[in-house]
Amino acid sequence: MASIFTRGVHLDLKGLPPTPQRLLELLDLFAALRFNCVLVEWEDSFPWECDPRFRSETAYTVEDVDAFHDRACALGLEIIPLVQSLGHMETPLRLDDYRPLRELPERCDGLNPLAPGARELVQRMVDDVAHRSGALKHFHLGGDEAFTFGRSPQTRAYIERHGKPSLYLHPIRPILESLNARGVRPILWHDMMVEWDDFSIAEIAPLADVMVWAYRGSPDAKVIERFRRAGINVWGACAFKGADSRGDGELPDVAQRVANATAWAAIASRVPLKGIVATGWSRYQTNRVQCEPLDGALDSLVRCAAALNDNEPLDADAAKARLASLGELGNFRACAGALRRLSDARRSAWEFLRLRHEQMSLERRDARRRESGVAEELSRLAREQIAATGAAGEAVKHAFAGLVPGVWVEAFVAERVIPLIESAKTADPYESHYQ
């Protein structure tokens, strides 16, 4: 592992952001786990000055952010801020004032690279975050998953004339150059560049590092090597949480997460990488549900940290012993236990609703299936599991008190209970049972 000098952990603060005090405690935990870098994705948790409307109702104060950087500095943790520059642009583009900057009028996730003011918006956001971040070595500009990229008539015509790499770099290149001029090395996610020709990939080398993300199994060494052949400094990214479900999970699949981190460590033992970051997604997208709260995934974090540091992950018992030694085991057990109850009850409720839907469809098709009581029984079982989901949700709220602001825990639980209740009422002859 001598080839890795940066071992990072990711804070995705656009979902379930920690309280200010917990945010500082997490830095202590990261340092104790021998991470030396934190990739922080502030999103709407940042105290934006360029446009205060970007702030959520629990956005950190300037003092909170300053305290975060002071604690990180004292612990020897490098902070790498992440500001989106192409896809995942919901935070600004959801506002009507920025609607003209959308690639597609009906989609707030994708920036139109050619829209007047698009580059300036990103530059203002970068400058805002950089101003509050102290001395920086690196700055992540995202640039991934631009699902609307090239879909407007204007950008499609531009691609036909100049190609996708030219469209991608049109707004981003000046920002990369401005960061380099300040002595700050930019980083970009790799996925939008995979289809580029070798010449276009080589254009990135003097401008930015590239972070290759692969969250399932082993990363593709050929992809990594292609960027390296182009002279690019390559980082890797595994995931310790937020990569197993379809975006609505409560807990990570720890075995999958550990296997992924171990695979990245094995790659790093053979291929010179600039660093590896263990990402921890709290939402797959700003407008999607919150997922996998960090404090319920501390076992995965500990085991992935060991894999990245020692190329040898800890087993479950050793991870719990490590959490106990750091004073984190009690919180972890409470949070993970409540989340497990919520997950089990919720999935059971959805399964009974699915079975009831199936039964009622068959009864409409075949009158001989009616008056059997099966649909009513399935409705009863669904009601029981919905009630169990609600009770588990209350346990989640209790477990996370003081760790995450109540408004976000309330939303996390509601995102799981309300769709169940609404689905249960749909076409149910027994809907009077639901409140």
Side-chain angles (χ1 to χ4, degrees):
M1 296 299 287
S3 60
I4 296 181
F5 63 85
T6 301
R7 298 172 303 281
V9 60
H10 171 227
L11 277 173
D12 178 17
L13 300 176
K14 65 180 178 288
L16 295 156
T19 61
Q21 179 60 35
R22 185 56 177 163
L23 189 65
L24 300 182
E25 293 170 356
L26 288 173
L27 291 178
D28 294 335
L29 175 61
F30 297 158
L33 295 177
R34 293 181 291 159
F35 289 107
N36 56 21
C37 169
V38 180
L39 176 65
V40 57
E41 192 163 349
W42 294 104
E43 283 289 344
D44 58 355
S45 290
F46 191 74
W48 296 100
E49 297 293 339
C50 62
D51 193 329
R53 294 175 298 172
F54 297 168
R55 304 176 190 176
S56 75
E57 57 266 52
T58 63
Y60 299 113
T61 65
V62 167
E63 292 76 18
D64 293 334
V65 174
D66 288 347
F68 174 83
H69 285 285
D70 289 345
R71 178 72 65 89
C73 182
L75 293 168
L77 292 168
E78 178 188 355
I79 297 298
I80 303 178
L82 191 156
V83 170
Q84 299 292 352
S85 59
L86 194 61
H88 297 292
M89 288 291 289
E90 299 91 348
T91 292
L93 298 189
R94 63 185 169 79
L95 299 172
D96 286 341
D97 290 4
Y98 299 100
R99 186 176 290 270
L101 303 185
R102 297 178 178 186
E103 173 104 24
L104 299 177
E106 69 277 13
R107 293 277 296 268
C108 67
D109 58 320
L111 186 72
N112 181 347
L114 302 177
R119 178 189 63 79
E120 290 81 2
L121 168 63
V122 176
Q123 186 71 69
R124 288 196 303 273
M125 295 175 72
V126 168
D127 291 344
D128 203 345
V129 171
H131 175 67
R132 291 247 65 90
S133 299
L136 292 173
K137 296 179 182 178
H138 299 91
F139 199 111
H140 205 308
L141 284 171
D144 64 316
E145 295 186 327
F147 299 121
T148 66
F149 186 77
R151 290 177 58 184
S152 72
Q154 181 191 24
T155 56
R156 189 162 53 245
Y158 185 97
I159 288 173
E160 290 173 358
R161 292 194 303 271
H162 305 289
K164 289 182 179 180
S166 179
L167 178 63
Y168 179 95
L169 287 171
H170 182 80
I172 292 178
R173 182 192 291 270
I175 302 171
L176 299 177
E177 292 173 343
S178 73
L179 286 168
N180 277 304
R182 301 181 216 175
V184 179
R185 186 64 175 169
I187 303 172
L188 294 164
W189 295 116
H190 84 291
D191 54 286
M192 295 296 291
M193 306 174 198
V194 169
E195 296 180 355
W196 292 9
D197 60 85
D198 290 345
F199 176 82
S200 297
I201 288 178
E203 280 193 84
I204 293 292
L207 297 171
D209 296 351
V210 168
M211 188 172 286
V212 176
W213 59 270
Y215 301 151
R216 295 185 180 277
S218 182
D220 188 339
K222 293 180 180 178
V223 172
I224 296 170
E225 190 55 37
R226 187 164 180 242
F227 284 107
R228 291 189 65 249
R229 282 200 311 268
I232 295 172
N233 290 321
V234 178
W235 302 62
C238 61
F240 76 91
K241 76 178 190 75
D244 293 307
S245 71
R246 288 168 291 183
D248 65 344
E250 288 81 29
L251 291 165
D253 182 330
V254 178
Q256 290 272 18
R257 297 301 99 230
V258 173
N260 180 231
T262 304
W264 267 109
I267 287 284
S269 68
R270 303 191 303 269
V271 179
L273 297 177
K274 196 165 179 181
I276 294 179
V277 172
T279 61
W281 302 101
S282 297
R283 290 187 197 264
Y284 283 22
Q285 189 185 47
T286 302
N287 290 334
R288 294 183 64 175
V289 299
Q290 301 172 108
C291 67
E292 299 183 22
L294 196 157
D295 280 288
L298 294 184
D299 56 340
S300 183
L301 177 66
V302 169
R303 296 176 68 181
C304 289
L308 295 182
N309 278 289
D310 305 319
N311 206 3
E312 186 67 39
L314 299 175
D315 63 23
D317 289 339
K320 290 177 183 176
R322 185 74 177 113
L323 287 172
S325 72
L326 296 171
E328 292 285 349
L329 185 59
N331 273 342
F332 164 69
R333 280 180 165 164
C335 292
L339 289 168
R340 176 63 65 193
R341 283 178 54 199
L342 178 65
S343 179
D344 291 347
R346 177 177 173 235
R347 276 152 183 74
S348 182
W350 279 119
E351 179 62 11
F352 283 124
L353 290 175
R354 184 192 68 78
L355 290 170
R356 190 201 68 189
H357 176 79
E358 180 182 87
Q359 175 67 22
M360 294 178 69
S361 295
L362 293 172
E363 288 181 6
R364 285 191 292 271
R365 181 180 177 86
D366 184 350
R368 292 172 297 179
R369 296 178 182 268
R370 298 171 189 167
E371 300 179 354
S372 64
V374 173
E376 184 175 7
E377 175 66 6
L378 291 171
S379 287
R380 181 187 67 78
L381 293 169
R383 289 195 301 275
E384 289 179 356
Q385 289 305 308
I386 291 171
T389 303
E394 293 303 311
V396 168
K397 295 175 190 178
H398 178 75
F400 280 88
L403 302 175
V404 175
V407 63
W408 299 116
V409 184
E410 290 275 354
F412 177 85
V413 172
E415 287 163 351
R416 283 147 177 81
V417 175
I418 291 174
L420 277 173
I421 293 173
E422 291 183 350
S423 295
K425 289 179 179 179
T426 304
D428 185 354
Y430 315 103
E431 67 174 282
S432 60
H433 291 285
Y434 299 102
Q435 301 300 316

